[in-house]
Amino acid sequence: MTQTASASETHLTNPGFESGDLSGWTTTGTAFDKAVTDDPGWGWGCCFNHEGTYHLWGFAAGGDAPTGTITSEPFTLTGTGMVSALISGGRNENDLYAALTTLDGTVLHKATGTEDEAYRRVTWDAREHLGEQLRITAVDRATGGWGHINLDDIRVGIDQPPSPEVEGLAAYWDFTEGQGAATTERVSQAADPISYVFNDAVYKPDSDPLWGTKSEDDGVLSGALLFDGYSTWVTRAAAQTQLPTDGMTVEGWVAPRAFEWGDDGKPSAIVNQQDKGARRGFSLGVGRHGVWEFGVGTGDTWYETKVPKTAALAAGKWAHLAAVFAPSQGTIRLYLNGEQVAQTAIPTTARLAKADVPLIIGRHNQPTIINGTFAVNMFNGLIDQVKVHTSPLDPAAVAAGHQRDMQTFASGSIPQARMAMDRSRYDGDRYRPSYHFTAPNHWMNEPHAPIQVKDKYHLFYQHNSHGPYWHNIGWGHAVSEDLVHWRDLPPALTPTADSVAPDGVWSGDSTLDENGVPVLLFTAGNDSQRPNQATGLARPVDPSDPDLVEWKMHPTLVTSQTADLDVGAGRKVRYGDFRDPFVWKEGDTWFQLMGSGVQTTSGTDIGGTALLYTSKNLTDWTYSGPLMVGDVAAHPKTGQVWELPTFLPIGKDAQGRQRRALLVNPAFPAGPGEYSSKYVYYWVGTWDAQARRWTPDTTEPRLMDYGDHFTGPSGTVDDKGRSLVFSIAQDRRTERAHYDAGWAHNAGLPIELSMRSDGDLGFRPVEEVSRLHAGEPLLNITEPTSVNDANTRLANVKGDMLHIKLTLERGSADTFGLDVLRSPGDEERTRLFYDAPAGQLGVDRTRSGNNSSAEPNFGIHKGPLTLSNGNLTLDVFLDRSMIEAYANSHKSITTRAYPFRQDSLGLRLFGDGSVVKSITVWKMGKLTD
């Protein structure tokens, strides 16, 4: 084994210029005269980061113009046989460099600067010259800008030689740590920081970046780093890695969880150190639909190579990528799992021009910013075994390296990429609901397409797996046996190349086909068409799978909007708005509603509409006309467009006519934005399927929920004959809060629709919510009592995951109700109230606390409600920031609160003169229990 020499054994005179002069060195020319300095910085920047007091700053000798050389006295190479030095200054490998030479001047190794005054250490392996006499020489033949070289702290025989695994590598990250917020680069043994949103968490306790599971069977891929798609990346300072200019290879194993949109034509970076605008650096990344690419900048040109679609990456699967920059052979070559899949010709004179930006794994050097907050062009999934070779590997070497990795796998085949989204990363988040359905990670908006298949309920939802913002939308998927406990499944549908939905899979519905097999109908996004919205269809790959995990899109669209649809005399359809199919079957006919809008022929908006189609086979549809058209002039909050039309039976009237409720989500493409995503309006009426005729009781729209967080309805009829509705509860937080929290939005509790005796729509949470009760009630008052006595018993009941069932008799009170999320001194609280003189149910959030909310002032929201024999019955559900209150099974309030205080957990009744007829409080469990 090679013995390590101490610094005193190197016998190199004045190796760090600590004499304050050039003792031990010989010069020619004037480039290094009076260049020894103790300056810590260069005047227009900071800092050299040199060792000791003195160093050799070439610019101090007279700027960039002087030329010359400086040569050390001879020394005998001893110790480890490694020689290293701190080098900085201009970049010119021919005329400006420091070198290790023989006594006759033969250059054994050399390095130039990086056009940066800050030193970085360069290490040369000279073990084959152990025992020989050598010299260090610095050469400056450059006279233009950056025409100087800097030198300090030469070490002979001290640095350890590279281990065999890093020979020929400029950098290597094997991600073996399995924990922590740093990863060791194996060549330099330096720890590089891992950025991650919860390293310094805002709304929960700090936690480490995500790591893959450790398994010996996975060989070199055991315990990879999991990049969450928006907040995870590894950074290495610009000068820390010395990249070769005349050829290199970049390789690594990746398992993408999903693919980004590719904003501004930029790939999701796997590893890059690039400034493409300046045509400098390199980038290995993956674009939309898994097509990956490699680019190299020479300063004059950016050379880029993409793989064909046949070599695109598959989501959820490991792949070994290698990108070879080989100017000596005039090519850039790309390899997938050891086999060449792409090649581009380049000039043999091409040389890498290093970009003076950090080397980053998982994040683009120059990302596009969404909503002023989120950097996109980021990798989502597992990365491991990232290597930057100092030479272009030939095909045999790439194949051999891939085979060596394959031999580490227990089965001899590429292991499974295990990266299911883990809900536990949010443990301790004070605002994230625990028993209302949420996406396992990141963004969701409306849940949709609920369907019961045999003994399971399936729920789908709009999901961005890359981060907590709207973009890259596909269908998330969960399954339940009781509507309140849910199990996460892989995404059901994602934007797919060469499909009907390459650019987005937006909301839709589900039904059973003629064989009882479930079918999904979705809004297919295709930006190459106008409108870019149409109806696509998907079927399960394996209908016998009880979880229905895999789905396959039908190759053609099933309904498309045309500009000449008949929506009435003097009117035209709002062309381009055509989305959110709702589907049901009666007899042998399927009916489909599509959300859209109607205008006058001159372009004035009349109102939203639900366009009706019929079919005998689910793939061929016939247009019937508008089911109903709104009146946006008379009712501005109902929107110019209706989204998510939901049309469900609620019973039969005394004449035996089928009664239905039409629910819509208003949209405002022409403004104002203040009404967007806040309301669900409904109409109740009679439906004649044979005549295709809907007759609402009144054209006056009615509001279901008096908060402003209940929206996005979808529905189904289950095997109990219940009409069930799901909704999205917007959280209305700032984009910064979404970033810091790592998630956005959640569903409301599923509700059951009914027809009231007065013919109006009634609704309440499904009875299964009682299965969320955790143990016996915390309080149970069943006899009439005063508000004061009830409050005495409520004083010790605290929590933000509660179900409160409450009946209050008005008595002589004008205003009465319940405060929730109340602090002991009443500094914070959310007030659910009934205003008897006005006949209104409301919520007062003026003291709720709006930590992280996008709304500066919460205010008061209310709407009409008639008491039942003088009684108000409330079903109240508290779930962290989520508050739902259902009143007399007729109206509801869905709202949010973001208390600043940790002790805002109390309950208190109010309303002198009212009587508490009953109140029961339960603690609630989690939806995943």
Side-chain angles (χ1 to χ4, degrees):
M1 182 175 177
T2 303
Q3 298 297 310
T4 302
S6 67
S8 62
E9 293 176 315
T10 66
H11 303 298
L12 175 60
T13 302
N14 203 11
F17 307 99
E18 289 306 303
S19 65
D21 56 25
L22 295 176
S23 299
W25 295 80
T26 302
T27 64
T28 67
T30 59
F32 300 101
D33 291 350
K34 299 180 181 179
V36 176
T37 180
D38 60 359
D39 288 339
W42 48 93
W44 59 93
C46 178
C47 296
F48 285 112
N49 299 321
H50 56 287
E51 290 291 329
T53 302
Y54 294 95
H55 61 107
L56 186 74
W57 180 25
F59 190 81
D64 290 324
T67 60
T69 65
I70 183 170
T71 304
S72 72
E73 293 180 353
F75 61 88
T76 301
L77 181 60
T78 58
T80 64
M82 307 298 293
V83 179
S84 74
L86 295 178
I87 298 173
S88 64
R91 180 194 288 114
N92 185 330
E93 61 187 15
N94 295 319
D95 296 323
L96 193 67
Y97 59 86
L100 177 67
T101 73
T102 62
L103 294 187
D104 65 5
T106 301
V107 173
L108 303 176
H109 299 279
K110 70 176 181 178
T112 187
T114 61
E115 295 189 357
D116 189 340
E117 301 288 12
Y119 285 109
R120 97 281 189 197
R121 184 163 295 280
V122 174
T123 304
W124 296 314
D125 185 349
R127 284 174 288 175
E128 61 183 309
H129 299 283
L130 275 166
E132 297 180 18
Q133 284 204 310
L134 305 173
R135 295 181 190 270
I136 298 292
T137 296
V139 175
D140 180 355
R141 293 193 292 262
T143 58
W146 283 105
H148 65 277
I149 193 85
N150 312 324
L151 186 65
D152 191 31
D153 194 43
I154 299 152
R155 303 195 308 217
V156 178
I158 296 174
D159 297 279
Q160 290 298 316
S163 62
E165 68 176 5
V166 300
E167 286 200 61
L169 295 178
Y172 174 30
W173 295 265
D174 60 5
F175 298 112
T176 57
E177 293 82 3
Q179 61 181 0
T183 184
T184 299
E185 191 282 304
R186 297 300 171 186
V187 175
S188 66
Q189 292 299 306
D192 292 330
I194 303 171
S195 297
Y196 178 58
V197 64
F198 297 144
N199 287 344
D200 186 14
V202 176
Y203 303 111
K204 61 176 287 294
D206 294 348
S207 56
D208 280 352
L210 306 172
W211 292 85
T213 55
K214 289 271 191 177
S215 172
E216 290 185 5
D217 290 348
D218 292 348
V220 295
L221 300 182
S222 175
L225 184 60
L226 179 54
F227 293 73
D228 71 353
Y230 90 99
S231 80
T232 311
W233 65 89
V234 178
T235 304
R236 188 168 180 77
Q240 282 186 274
T241 301
Q242 180 62 21
L243 297 176
T245 61
D246 56 354
M248 64 187 298
T249 301
V250 180
E251 66 169 319
W253 284 86
V254 298
R257 184 151 54 192
F259 303 114
E260 278 194 315
W261 190 266
D263 292 79
D264 293 334
K266 300 174 184 177
S268 304
I270 298 168
V271 55
N272 69 151
Q273 188 172 9
Q274 65 169 313
D275 181 349
K276 188 175 179 180
R279 298 174 292 280
R280 303 185 76 92
F282 75 94
S283 171
L284 175 65
V286 57
R288 192 185 296 196
H289 306 140
V291 174
W292 56 284
E293 60 189 69
F294 181 68
V296 174
T298 63
D300 298 317
T301 305
W302 182 266
Y303 296 100
E304 195 165 81
T305 305
K306 293 186 179 182
V307 300
K309 291 180 180 179
T310 54
L313 303 181
K317 295 183 178 180
W318 278 112
H320 179 226
L321 312 184
V324 179
F325 171 57
S328 62
Q329 297 152 30
T331 62
I332 293 176
R333 303 188 303 271
L334 304 184
Y335 296 82
L336 176 64
N337 294 329
E339 297 184 1
Q340 184 171 317
V341 290
Q343 178 172 306
T344 296
I346 60 173
T348 57
T349 55
R351 294 293 182 268
L352 170 70
K354 185 177 177 182
D356 291 328
V357 295
L359 187 153
I360 303 178
I361 300 173
R363 184 182 195 267
H364 200 286
N365 279 108
Q366 298 165 325
T368 297
I369 305 300
I370 296 288
N371 301 335
T373 304
F374 294 94
V376 295
N377 316 119
M378 291 184 62
F379 186 83
N380 179 7
L382 293 165
I383 297 181
D384 207 345
Q385 301 298 309
V386 175
K387 300 177 182 178
V388 180
H389 297 260
T390 58
S391 63
L393 300 184
D394 60 28
V398 172
H402 174 70
Q403 192 56 39
R404 281 193 299 272
D405 288 350
M406 293 290 294
Q407 290 170 357
T408 70
F409 305 144
S411 62
S413 58
I414 297 174
Q416 181 181 359
R418 290 181 291 274
M419 51 182 167
M421 289 187 169
D422 187 353
R423 292 175 175 271
S424 68
R425 71 185 290 210
Y426 303 111
D427 285 354
D429 186 321
R430 63 180 302 202
Y431 300 132
R432 179 174 165 87
S434 290
Y435 64 85
H436 286 77
F437 183 80
T438 55
N441 282 193
H442 298 159
W443 170 276
M444 73 173 288
N445 47 297
E446 55 262 11
H448 49 71
I451 189 169
Q452 186 181 24
V453 182
K454 298 180 180 177
D455 60 346
K456 287 186 171 64
Y457 294 93
H458 293 262
L459 184 65
F460 304 88
Y461 54 93
Q462 296 283 270
H463 183 42
N464 177 13
S465 68
H466 295 272
Y469 57 96
W470 193 95
H471 213 40
N472 313 296
I473 298 296
W475 280 30
H477 184 192
V479 66
S480 174
E481 295 181 359
D482 65 2
L483 288 171
V484 292
H485 294 98
W486 294 92
R487 178 164 48 89
D488 296 315
L489 296 173
L493 297 172
T494 58
T496 304
D498 302 321
S499 75
V500 296
D503 300 311
V505 186
W506 302 316
S507 292
D509 200 16
S510 56
T511 189
L512 300 176
D513 70 10
E514 65 276 9
N515 299 313
V517 175
V519 174
L520 305 180
L521 290 101
F522 56 90
T523 306
N526 186 341
D527 290 342
S528 67
Q529 299 179 356
R530 185 174 186 274
N532 69 342
Q533 306 163 3
T535 306
L537 182 145
R539 300 180 184 274
V541 173
D542 179 8
S544 67
D545 174 13
D547 284 344
L548 300 173
V549 170
E550 292 188 70
W551 296 80
K552 184 178 181 179
M553 293 184 192
H554 190 68
T556 59
L557 297 170
V558 296
T559 52
S560 298
Q561 187 185 39
T562 58
D564 60 353
L565 287 178
D566 182 4
V567 291
R571 297 180 170 187
K572 65 178 181 179
V573 73
R574 206 175 205 281
Y575 188 59
D577 289 296
F578 188 75
R579 50 189 175 271
D580 309 334
F582 177 83
V583 183
W584 76 100
K585 187 180 184 184
E586 296 187 53
D588 63 352
T589 302
W590 281 275
F591 297 84
Q592 176 188 185
L593 296 179
M594 288 295 288
S596 189
V598 174
Q599 299 175 317
T600 65
T601 53
S602 62
T604 301
D605 284 301
I606 294 173
T609 190
L611 302 173
L612 180 64
Y613 293 78
T614 62
S615 175
K616 299 293 185 180
N617 60 10
L618 288 172
T619 55
D620 300 293
W621 293 85
T622 301
Y623 176 62
S624 291
L627 181 78
M628 182 178 176
V629 177
D631 185 345
V632 71
H635 307 291
K637 293 183 180 181
T638 59
Q640 302 99 26
V641 169
W642 288 350
E643 295 181 330
L644 299 153
T646 300
F647 195 53
L648 289 167
I650 59 172
K652 293 186 177 180
D653 62 14
Q655 291 75 42
R657 296 176 300 177
Q658 177 64 65
R659 300 276 288 171
R660 281 185 174 256
L662 173 64
L663 283 57
V664 302
N665 187 100
F668 302 86
E674 64 182 289
Y675 300 146
S676 294
S677 302
K678 288 189 176 182
Y679 309 113
V680 171
Y681 283 98
Y682 72 91
W683 295 262
V684 173
T686 56
W687 163 245
D688 185 336
Q690 292 297 321
R692 316 285 197 257
R693 185 170 60 249
W694 158 246
T695 307
D697 296 346
T698 174
T699 57
E700 185 83 13
R702 296 178 180 176
L703 199 58
M704 286 187 72
D705 187 282
Y706 297 148
D708 63 358
H709 294 262
F710 177 99
T711 186
S714 62
T716 190
V717 179
D718 72 357
D719 62 4
K720 298 177 183 178
R722 298 182 297 179
S723 286
L724 305 176
V725 167
F726 296 79
S727 63
I728 183 68
Q730 306 283 348
D731 60 36
R732 301 198 186 286
R733 299 173 86 178
T734 64
E735 291 302 278
R736 186 68 237 180
H738 285 152
Y739 187 102
D740 291 337
W743 61 275
H745 312 314
N746 56 270
L749 290 174
I751 60 175
E752 177 185 355
L753 305 186
S754 62
M755 182 176 64
R756 291 166 47 86
S757 59
D758 62 3
D760 197 9
L761 176 67
F763 56 95
R764 63 185 180 186
V766 295
E767 61 182 0
E768 288 90 340
V769 295
S770 63
R771 300 186 186 187
L772 291 166
H773 294 164
E776 294 300 311
L778 303 176
L779 174 70
N780 189 24
I781 297 175
T782 58
E783 298 294 329
T785 188
S786 68
V787 168
N788 287 339
D789 287 347
N791 279 334
T792 298
R793 297 177 65 180
L794 269 176
N796 293 323
V797 178
K798 311 285 184 188
D800 58 3
M801 284 181 60
L802 301 175
H803 174 200
I804 304 111
K805 182 83 170 181
L806 166 68
T807 297
L808 288 168
E809 184 178 20
R810 174 190 176 182
S812 61
D814 282 344
T815 303
F816 56 95
L818 174 69
D819 290 340
V820 300
L821 299 179
R822 181 181 184 274
S823 63
D826 202 31
E827 298 91 347
E828 289 187 326
R829 46 107 163 135
T830 299
R831 170 158 289 187
L832 300 164
F833 68 87
Y834 187 78
D835 181 344
Q840 290 187 319
L841 173 75
V843 59
D844 181 344
R845 295 193 296 158
T846 55
R847 294 193 209 170
S848 288
N850 62 356
N851 185 18
S852 81
S853 174
E855 300 173 327
N857 300 300
F858 278 166
I860 298 172
H861 302 275
K862 55 189 177 181
L865 177 75
T866 301
L867 295 179
S868 177
N869 297 318
N871 293 330
L872 174 70
T873 296
L874 291 176
D875 247 338
V876 181
F877 297 88
L878 307 182
D879 193 1
R880 308 300 190 199
S881 63
M882 180 77 175
I883 303 169
E884 279 180 293
Y886 296 88
N888 293 357
S889 298
H890 188 197
K891 295 295 180 181
S892 64
I893 287 176
T894 302
T895 193
R896 313 293 296 216
Y898 302 102
F900 289 94
R901 297 175 61 105
Q902 297 290 336
D903 60 356
S904 294
L905 298 170
L907 302 174
R908 188 171 179 84
L909 296 158
F910 64 92
D912 291 342
S914 64
V915 177
V916 180
K917 299 188 73 173
S918 64
I919 181 172
T920 308
V921 183
W922 294 269
K923 183 179 179 181
M924 299 292 269
K926 297 180 179 180
L927 70 93
T928 54
D929 287 346

